[in-house]
């Protein structure tokens, strides 16, 4: 019998060889540039995403999906090439002495939108830490604040939870529409510089990230304003959710006391 490792080796070698041969034929023999093909395929999408409605949707849809437990990364294969192309054009324009014009880039998202993670949730994390009355949200606030500072909000999304929780889903949707709208407005009005260089340190705390991504101190002001605005959006929904949990905790405490007396 053929050893298993030999079978495994051939099973992986054959498809790899096939892919290499096909790639060689297309790129070398037929002189087809894959990059140009990708740019051509995504160019209609790019014009849409670079518009205000397209940019807002490119931010809103991943956040919307995330509230149903679906990672927003499923959108990245479609959105990220557009963002990258936009940044490349911005960099080229600035290098040629012109101004950056493409707002829809990943750097814009990092600068003013992903404050605390998807859904701009840093304000909600702070709220849970300092305003919670229920034991559950107090505990969650303590657990999620540090990850949120570094823009990691999976513990918040699935711990609070935001996902499948109407109390917190609705304000997340509102902010997922409102925040990219604000970002688009302040950049289109030249109130904050449009990013023109790559920035991948998404885990840097805000508002440091806002400055590094835009190279503009006005980005810090915009970031702080967005935190305040998202705070105001989350606050009434948070209070309603917190009160509902507090009420349930009191009922549970009464039931526990009754059981103890009965026993």
């Amino acid at each position: 019998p053929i050893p298993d490792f030999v079978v495994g080796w051939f099973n992986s070698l054959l498809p790899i060889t096939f892919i290499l041969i096909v790639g060689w034929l297309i790129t070398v023999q037929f002189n087809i540039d894959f990059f140009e093909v990708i740019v051509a395929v995504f160019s209609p999408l790019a014009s849409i995403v670079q518009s205000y409605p397209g940019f807002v949707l490119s931010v809103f849809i991943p956040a919307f999906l995330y509230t149903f437990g679906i990672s927003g990364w499923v959108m990245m294969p479609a959105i990220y090439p557009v963002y990258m192309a936009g940044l490349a054009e911005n960099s080229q324009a600035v290098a040629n002495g012109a101004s950056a014009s493409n707002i829809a880039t990943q750097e814009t998202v990092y600068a003013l939108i992903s404050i605390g993670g998807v859904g701009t949730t840093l304000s909600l994390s702070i709220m849970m830490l300092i305003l919670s009355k229920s034991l559950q949200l107090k505990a969650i606030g303590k657990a999620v604040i540090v990850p949120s500072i570094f823009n990691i909000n999976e513990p918040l999304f699935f711990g609070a939870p935001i996902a499948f929780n109407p109390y917190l889903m609705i304000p997340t949707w509102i902010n997922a529409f409102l925040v990219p709208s604000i970002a688009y407005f302040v950049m289109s009005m030249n109130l904050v510089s449009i990013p023109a260089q790559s920035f991948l340190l998404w885990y840097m705390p805000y508002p440091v990230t806002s400055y590094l991504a835009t190279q503009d101190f006005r980005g810090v002001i915009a970031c702080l304003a967005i935190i305040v605005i998202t705070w105001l959006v989350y606050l009434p929904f948070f209070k309603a959710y917190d009160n509902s949990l507090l009420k349930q905790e009191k009922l549970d405490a009464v039931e526990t006391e009754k059981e103890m007396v009965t026993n």
Side-chain angles (χ1 to χ4, degrees):
I2 301 174
D4 290 341
F5 77 91
V6 175
V7 174
W9 185 73
F10 271 98
N11 285 341
S12 60
L13 180 64
L14 291 176
I16 291 173
T17 303
F18 175 77
I19 292 171
L20 288 174
I21 292 173
V22 171
W24 175 77
L25 287 172
I26 293 173
T27 57
V28 177
Q29 297 301 315
F30 297 105
N31 198 29
I32 296 175
D33 190 329
F34 270 119
F35 178 77
E36 294 295 334
V37 172
I38 292 172
V39 169
V41 169
F42 281 96
S43 58
L45 180 62
S47 61
I48 296 172
V49 174
Q50 288 299 338
S51 68
Y52 164 69
F55 177 59
V56 171
L57 283 175
S58 74
V59 174
F60 177 83
I61 293 174
F64 180 80
L65 293 175
Y66 209 23
T67 60
F68 290 97
I70 302 171
S71 174
W73 285 102
V74 299
M75 295 291 297
M76 284 298 102
I79 296 173
Y80 203 66
V82 177
Y83 282 176
M84 291 182 67
L87 181 67
E89 291 178 9
N90 288 348
S91 299
Q92 187 63 45
V94 171
N96 293 334
S99 299
S101 59
N102 293 315
I103 295 174
T105 66
Q106 192 64 45
E107 283 65 23
T108 298
V109 175
Y110 290 154
L112 298 177
I113 296 171
S114 296
I115 304 172
V118 176
T120 321
T121 55
L122 180 59
S123 56
L124 180 60
S125 298
I126 298 171
M127 201 176 293
M128 286 186 180
L129 180 66
I130 65 177
L131 297 183
S132 295
K133 297 177 181 178
S134 65
L135 295 176
Q136 177 178 325
L137 289 188
K138 281 182 180 178
I140 291 172
K142 293 176 182 177
V144 304
I145 187 61
V146 173
S148 292
I149 289 173
F150 295 97
N151 310 310
I152 300 169
N153 66 350
E154 284 84 356
L156 176 64
F157 249 89
F158 301 106
I162 294 175
F164 296 102
N165 179 359
Y167 283 107
L168 299 180
M169 291 170 73
I170 294 172
T172 301
W173 296 342
I174 294 172
N175 283 331
F177 169 80
L178 189 60
V179 174
S181 297
I182 294 171
Y184 195 93
F185 172 77
V186 297
M187 289 187 176
S188 63
M189 297 296 291
N190 293 320
L191 299 176
V192 176
S193 298
I194 297 173
Q197 61 184 23
S198 179
F199 177 80
L200 301 177
L201 302 178
W202 56 267
Y203 43 79
M204 290 287 290
Y206 285 86
V208 175
T209 293
S210 299
Y211 170 72
L212 294 177
T214 61
Q215 295 294 300
D216 187 347
F217 280 108
R218 294 175 298 176
V220 174
I221 298 172
C223 170
L224 296 176
I226 287 170
I227 291 174
V228 171
I229 291 168
T230 55
W231 175 286
L232 295 175
V233 172
Y234 276 120
L235 186 59
F237 296 92
F238 163 78
K239 285 186 174 180
Y241 182 44
D242 190 36
N243 289 335
S244 70
L245 291 177
L246 184 62
K247 182 178 179 180
Q248 185 60 48
E249 287 173 359
K250 289 179 178 178
L251 291 174
D252 291 343
V254 170
E255 290 296 326
T256 302
E257 288 181 5
K258 288 181 179 179
E259 290 179 3
M260 292 177 65
V261 171
T262 303
N263 294 333

